[in-house]
Amino acid sequence: MEDKKSHIRLGLALGGGSALGFAHIGVLKALEENDIIIDSISGTSSGAIIAALYAFGVSFKDIEQEADKLNWKKLAKIYPSKLGVTNNKAIREILERHLGKKADIADANIPLAIVTTDIENGSKVVFKSGPVIDAVLASSCLPGLFSPIKIEGLMLVDGGLVENVPISPLRESSDVIIAVNLLRYRRYTKPKSIMGILVNSFDMINHRISAQSRQGDVNILIEPDLSDYFMGDIRKWKELSDKGYLETQKYIPEIKTLLSQSEKEDFWETIKNVFGTKN
C-alpha cells in the first residue's frame, strides 16, 4: 500500500488596497500555474472581492475580463444619501452575475472568510457564512464614499479599518499562511478633490494597519512594490496584476520548499507516534 503524506492546509490572505487589489489576480495566477492548491482564503476590501470570486470557482481569467470592463464612472456613480455619496451597485452586479443573488459563504468551493468593520463600535466582524455578496460589499465599503451595508442589524464598512491583511481568520484552519500586503510601499500625491482626500486618508490608515501583517503568524508575506500606482488606478489593472504575478513568482521555490518540509515533518512525526522512538 502506498504511503500518503499528510496534507498541509494552505491559507491565503488577500489584503485591501482599492484598485491595487488587481495585483491579487497575478498572485492567484502564479500560484495556480505552479500547482499550489489553496485550502482556505480570506479577504478584506478589494481583497474580499477577489477572494470571494475565486473561492466560488471564478477563474483568474474571468476576473481579468471583469477588470477590463471597470471604470470609476461605473463604480462611483452618484447615489447620494445621508451615509454616503454613492453605493456598491456596480460591484454587486458583478458578484451577482458570477455567484448568484443568494450565494452563501458557507457554500464556497474553497472555505472563505470576509473581514468587515462595525462602524458603530469599531469591532471586527468576520463572516464565514451568510450572504456572500452583502459581506463582500460591506468589506469593500469605503466610509464616506459608499453607504454602509446592514447585516443582521449591524452597520458594516470596510474591513481595512481593523485588519487590512486578514490573517486571523486563517489561523485555526491553516498550517501554512501566505499573506498579500498591497500597501507596503506607498507614495502620495496632492489631492485635487474630496475623493482624493478620502482615498489618501484611507490609504494612510490602511498602510499603518497593514504593517501588523509583518508581526503576525505568516509563513510567506508577499508585498509587491505598487508605489507608482494610485489607489484609483482602475485602468492600470493589467500592470497591477503583472506586479502581483512577478512578485509571487519570487516566492514559489520558498513556498514549495516550505510545503515539502512540512509534509516531511508531519510524515515522520506520524511514524514516531506509531512505532515509538528509541532513546
Side-chain angles (χ1 to χ4, degrees), residues 11-13 40-42 166-174 177-178:
L12 177 65
S40 58
I41 190 168
S42 61
I167 299 164
S168 65
L170 299 175
R171 285 178 181 142
E172 293 184 2
S173 62
S174 306
I177 296 177
I178 299 173

Side-chain angles (χ1 to χ4, degrees), residues 10-48:
L10 177 61
L12 177 65
L14 301 183
S18 194
L20 305 182
F22 291 122
H24 292 315
I25 300 174
V27 173
L28 293 172
K29 179 180 179 181
L31 294 175
E32 193 170 303
E33 284 183 354
N34 286 277
D35 299 319
I36 294 172
I37 297 174
I38 301 165
D39 295 289
S40 58
I41 190 168
S42 61
T44 295
S45 196
S46 56

Side-chain angles (χ1 to χ4, degrees), residues 101-130:
K101 294 184 178 181
K102 298 182 179 181
D104 192 290
I105 298 172
D107 295 329
N109 299 340
I110 302 172
L112 170 67
I114 302 296
V115 175
T116 69
T117 303
D118 186 332
I119 196 61
E120 294 187 50
N121 58 31
S123 63
K124 177 170 59 179
V125 181
V126 180
F127 289 95
K128 295 185 178 181
S129 63

Side-chain angles (χ1 to χ4, degrees), residues 174-186:
S174 306
D175 301 306
V176 172
I177 296 177
I178 299 173
V180 185
N181 174 21
L182 305 176
L183 304 180
R184 175 67 174 86
Y185 308 97
R186 300 303 301 134

Side-chain angles (χ1 to χ4, degrees), residues 5-6 8 259-269:
K5 293 182 179 180
S6 300
I8 302 305
L259 293 175
S260 177
Q261 287 177 343
S262 298
E263 289 174 344
K264 185 177 180 181
E265 288 168 3
D266 282 0
F267 176 74
W268 285 111
E269 186 63 31

